[in-house]
Amino acid sequence: MTRLPPSPFERTCDCRCPTHHGRHRFTYNDSGCQCRITCATQPTTLLAPRGALFLNYHGDLWTVPILAPDRFDWRHAAPVTTDRDPADSAIARLLRTATAELRQHLS
């Protein structure tokens, strides 16, 4: 039996964030968070002009504003209500599909 690689939520932070380094990350709007997009705990992320969209550990769509390249304003990260906007629902579905495909191909 082939074992799938760990999901991002099974990994610990590796980006030297003072809040999460060496720990699992289940909260995305901690005031001291300095996690980067390259952090092992960061789920599949879609970069947009003023922010990023990503999946949390439940597979729900969240958004976070960008402060600078590869730096996010995690204090203002928030869930996106996908039942109000078909585009948000489509983005969430595509990110879930991409995550599943990547995990399958990386095993």
Side-chain angles (χ1 to χ4, degrees):
M1 174 196 256
T2 304
R3 178 159 168 20
L4 291 175
S7 79
F9 313 109
E10 295 171 342
R11 298 180 187 142
T12 57
C13 176
D14 65 350
C15 67
R16 305 214 187 285
C17 170
T19 303
H20 300 110
H21 183 71
R23 298 180 178 174
H24 295 281
R25 183 173 174 218
F26 299 108
T27 305
Y28 297 99
N29 49 9
D30 292 324
S31 62
C33 180
Q34 294 178 20
C35 284
R36 304 174 71 181
I37 192 169
T38 56
C39 179
T41 66
Q42 182 60 42
T44 307
T45 302
L46 175 65
L47 293 177
R50 284 175 258 161
L53 296 161
F54 66 95
L55 300 177
N56 74 353
Y57 62 96
H58 289 299
D60 299 325
L61 188 65
W62 275 57
T63 185
V64 62
I66 292 178
L67 293 172
D70 204 28
R71 291 286 176 196
F72 301 107
D73 186 2
W74 291 110
R75 294 170 302 151
H76 294 100
V80 175
T81 308
T82 58
D83 59 349
R84 293 188 187 145
D85 187 345
D88 290 336
S89 181
I91 290 168
R93 186 175 60 256
L94 290 169
L95 287 175
R96 287 184 200 111
T97 300
T99 299
E101 288 291 324
L102 287 169
R103 284 189 73 209
Q104 209 169 23
H105 289 289
L106 293 174
S107 62

